[in-house]
Amino acid sequence: MHKSLHIGAFAIIILGCVALIPSTARATVYLSLDAEEGTVGQTIPNPPFCQTECSGSGAKGTFESADGAAQGAQYYQWRTVQSQGEAYTVVGNAGQNPPLVADLLGKTLYLGWYFNFTRIDGNDIWHEGQLQSGDKGVEIRGPGVRWGVANGQWETVAANQDHRYTVWLGNPTYHLNPELEHVDIYFPNQSGYSATHTIQLDYENWHSAVLGVHFAFDQTGWVGVWIDGEKVYDYANIRTASSAEGTPRIAHLTLNGTIAQGALDAPPHLRKYDAFLLTDNWQDVIDGGYLAADRLAPAAPTNLSVQ
């Protein structure tokens, strides 16, 4: 898959004037990471991935290439053990100085990434039913800001189909639009999806996600989510940033903040991610392939077992 913005696993950059977009405006890429410059089997470095140093537990992530990547040849992988409650990882500057994005008000940003949750010994990661068995997923974090796309099963939406899981939008911590929240999550509202009809994703399959946010203190904000190129969320005329901590900013991203909340009983499994991109240019999202609908499953793993 072609990526017009390829910077490599060790690069976290703040760029002005990366590429021209129509009119006199300039585009900015705030973060671009993939796993292509790492060595398979080696631990992902800090920076940019702060793991146990940032209060995370379990084995650190590694560079891997087995069974195919979403783009390129390699990806980032975390291997969990039974009932591991989190593998908390900060992506970016853990010290929040400088932040990834210093002043968000009036900006529209897009975060794209690829993800793949692979079972071991055929054991589903999350329970099925109208219950809590979900992860915090991938989040943008900073003073006044916390938006994320979580995964698994949640109590306020329909039960997942057998051996499948779903994703949902959340705004924990700040709860900026309580009238829209249902036990901390927003209901899907696009492409025919709803609380009773959620998008269903396959294990052992690469999927793409895009989280878009226009940041505002008042009800002029917007948030949207695309999965495999299909729009699942679109909420306009809402608050998207809190003024409680001054100027809102994105300090970093976080991954794996909770696994299978609330029982925290997930079986051992593989958590794979690739190609994180934070940009203010929609064309970068398109060029990165994040809206492609042809996410194909790699060959079924044949050698996975609990170790």
Side-chain angles (χ1 to χ4, degrees), residues 25-101:
R26 292 181 180 272
T28 301
V29 174
Y30 296 95
L31 174 72
S32 182
L33 295 171
D34 64 28
E36 296 308 301
E37 293 183 10
T39 299
V40 170
Q42 288 193 348
T43 300
I44 302 168
N46 174 32
F49 292 86
C50 186
Q51 302 175 74
T52 55
E53 304 91 344
C54 288
S55 78
S57 65
K60 290 186 176 184
T62 56
F63 296 102
E64 302 295 343
S65 63
D67 304 313
Q71 66 87 41
Q74 298 182 177
Y75 52 85
Y76 309 111
Q77 176 180 289
W78 283 258
R79 187 181 186 113
T80 72
V81 298
Q82 177 65 44
S83 301
Q84 182 174 329
E86 50 85 10
Y88 182 73
T89 302
V90 171
V91 184
N93 188 339
Q96 302 185 15
N97 187 24
L100 288 177
V101 190

Side-chain angles (χ1 to χ4, degrees), residues 132 154-156 168-169 175 178 180-187 261:
Q132 287 191 11
W154 203 244
E155 64 180 282
T156 50
W168 58 86
L169 173 69
H175 303 288
L180 298 177
E181 292 190 18
H182 306 272
V183 190
D184 295 340
I185 80 166
Y186 290 62
F187 287 159
Q261 178 183 333

Side-chain angles (χ1 to χ4, degrees), residues 240-251:
T240 52
S242 170
S243 60
E245 299 172 73
T247 302
R249 51 198 183 274
I250 297 176

